[in-house]
Amino acid sequence: MQIGFVEAVDFRNYRTLSLAPGPRLNVLSGPNGQGKTNLLEALGLLVTGRSFRTPRIAEIPRWGSPAASLTGDLVRADGTSPTRRAVRRTVERLDDGRWQLGGEPVEWARAIAFGWQDLEIVNGAPSARRSFIDGVAGRLYPVHRSSLIQFRQLLARRNRLLQGRSGDAATRARLEPWDAQFATVGMELVNRRRRAVAALQTELARVYGALCATGGKVEIRYQTALGEASDAAALLAALERAQREEVRRGQTLVGPHRDDLAIEIDGVDARAYGSRGQQRLVALALRLAEMLPVTDAAGTTPVLLLDDALSELDPAAREQIVRELAAAEQVFLTAPEPLTVKGAAVFSVNAGGVASA
Ligand SMILES: Nc1ncnc2c1ncn2[C@@H]1O[C@H](COP(=O)(O)OP(=O)(O)OP(=O)(O)O)[C@@H](O)[C@H]1O
Ligand SMILES: [Mg+2]
């Protein structure tokens, strides 16, 4: 798929914005603080209806504005006849002071975003890797997102019960009705995450090999205390075994909220031993590896939004990335310096304005 055009009003530091991007690689360059990441955020919001940058939508409208809006065209040229979908998204302040996001989802539209914070997938805490794999699973299997919300509610409820002051037996009795549901939804999450890991694996090895000729082999594995088990009964049994300890500590100790991903380069933990450049390349490779499985699942290519993906990398790696991107469909790549890439549409971003360079 592609973004045909986008217009924005009062979006972050853009008073107005109008952009007709190219069908393949688009380079957005400009000095720091001019609006490059804001523009990627707008493109992502147009495509997916969510900001990849923040869950706090109140931050999106231009300071002092009661609303922000985006309109644009999403185009699918992969079927027998091209499909064009007009999209409008709004962020508005309601009378009661809350902020509301408006706009219809487009079921085949996907965007994959990469930014500097993605380094955390490789070198950060387990929660960064869980949200990475949940993001992938959500793009592959849209139901994943709603079951994740449901799981978080069940987990919060369970933890509240565990923190209650009643004695062991009473707590157990109150947990019981929730546990079966917790185990069912929890195991669904685990299984979808495992499938997402499996879907990434082959492409990850290929992409990392392409980006870094001397780089070795990258592998990811899903890590859970549940071992290979894949049915809800296994999670239920683990909850039962952990119950005494759970009551003592007042929190749920087994389930997908405790899982992690192992990321290895040639069998060695990338978090502990990878160089910063290697970690950046692995993080980028993880995002690029998503393209093929997401294309298969959605029936059309995702739009790639790559924020500052070339920084901190050596010239050979930068060249390989650009080569890899040339094979993709629509890509947006920001850079703080002017960048010339053969065949790319180049835009310069300056103080909330975008001009064809
Ligand atoms: N809601 C908002 N209203 C107005 N301005 C905003 C809003 N949110 C952020 N900004 C401003 O937008 C500016 C540009 O931010 P952005 O992150 O897009 O810069 P950038 O071009 O990506 O810079 P860098 O190269 O440093 O990453 C910032 O200076 C920030 O203060
Ligand atoms: Mg930026």
Side-chain angles (χ1 to χ4, degrees):
M1 63 157 289
Q2 293 165 20
I3 296 170
F5 80 90
V6 59
E7 284 179 358
V9 177
D10 291 335
F11 190 100
R12 298 271 187 188
N13 70 330
Y14 294 93
R15 189 184 289 278
T16 60
L17 160 74
S18 177
L19 177 71
R24 301 190 76 93
L25 181 58
N26 293 272
V27 174
L28 311 169
S29 67
N32 297 133
Q34 301 302 303
K36 301 182 296 295
T37 304
N38 294 346
L39 177 52
L40 290 188
E41 183 186 29
L43 297 170
L45 185 69
L46 183 77
V47 172
T48 67
R50 275 183 311 278
S51 164
F52 60 76
R53 201 180 196 184
T54 179
R56 294 176 296 276
I57 54 170
E59 293 170 10
I60 291 174
R62 219 166 72 88
W63 293 322
S65 304
S69 70
L70 292 172
T71 48
D73 253 7
L74 304 183
V75 187
R76 251 186 103 156
D78 40 64
T80 41
S81 60
T83 315
R84 191 171 280 272
R85 183 84 67 94
V87 183
R88 179 174 166 78
R89 313 224 175 262
T90 52
V91 179
E92 282 175 299
R93 190 167 50 213
L94 302 174
D95 291 342
D96 62 8
R98 284 181 307 126
W99 290 82
Q100 177 178 274
L101 204 102
E104 293 297 307
V106 179
E107 54 295 342
W108 42 264
R110 301 281 191 284
I112 297 175
F114 170 84
W116 59 266
Q117 65 284 6
D118 282 359
L119 195 55
E120 288 201 355
I121 301 168
V122 184
N123 70 11
S127 61
R129 285 177 289 283
R130 287 194 295 269
S131 41
F132 162 72
I133 202 63
D134 282 329
V136 179
R139 282 180 285 276
L140 293 176
Y141 323 109
V143 65
H144 191 74
R145 216 165 285 124
S146 52
S147 43
L148 195 60
I149 293 169
Q150 191 190 2
F151 177 78
R152 288 199 186 116
Q153 288 164 346
L154 289 165
L155 178 64
R157 161 79 57 151
R158 213 174 171 277
N159 285 343
R160 268 200 306 279
L161 288 173
L162 284 165
Q163 283 151 17
R165 285 176 183 279
S166 51
D168 266 20
T171 306
R172 258 175 230 164
R174 279 198 282 157
L175 282 174
E176 213 182 279
W178 294 101
D179 280 2
Q181 211 185 345
F182 181 92
T184 304
V185 179
M187 211 53 172
E188 279 170 16
L189 288 184
V190 170
N191 287 330
R192 264 189 244 105
R193 286 175 176 177
R194 284 176 172 142
R195 272 156 56 204
V197 166
L200 285 178
Q201 196 71 263
T202 315
E203 270 296 277
L204 178 64
R206 184 194 69 75
V207 174
Y208 189 75
L211 299 191
C212 186
T214 56
K217 188 159 194 287
V218 176
E219 278 182 309
I220 51 172
R221 254 177 301 109
Y222 191 70
Q223 291 184 313
T224 169
L226 297 164
E228 304 292 312
S230 61
D231 51 350
L235 179 48
L236 200 57
L239 286 174
E240 235 149 69
R241 283 194 299 276
Q243 203 172 64
R244 186 179 291 273
E245 185 64 9
E246 287 192 331
V247 171
R248 197 177 68 77
R249 295 190 26 198
Q251 53 174 301
T252 303
L253 296 175
V254 281
H257 62 297
R258 309 278 290 196
D259 293 351
D260 199 355
L261 283 182
I263 305 178
E264 293 175 351
I265 307 174
D266 281 337
V268 176
D269 182 10
R271 179 183 183 185
Y273 299 107
S275 76
R276 197 174 154 93
Q278 279 176 322
Q279 291 179 345
R280 266 196 81 103
L281 275 178
V282 171
L284 179 61
L286 282 167
R287 293 295 185 197
L288 298 181
E290 242 190 271
M291 275 198 295
L292 197 62
V294 169
T295 302
D296 287 344
T300 183
T301 54
V303 171
L304 276 182
L305 307 170
L306 308 179
D307 203 3
D308 219 0
L310 303 184
S311 70
E312 293 189 40
L313 298 174
D314 65 52
R318 295 168 67 125
E319 200 170 301
Q320 289 307 321
I321 291 170
V322 170
R323 189 166 303 179
E324 184 72 21
L325 298 182
E329 201 176 328
Q330 196 175 42
V331 182
F332 296 86
L333 175 68
T334 72
E337 71 279 340
L339 205 76
T340 42
V341 181
K342 215 173 127 229
V346 181
F347 299 90
S348 64
V349 180
N350 234 304
V354 181
S356 203

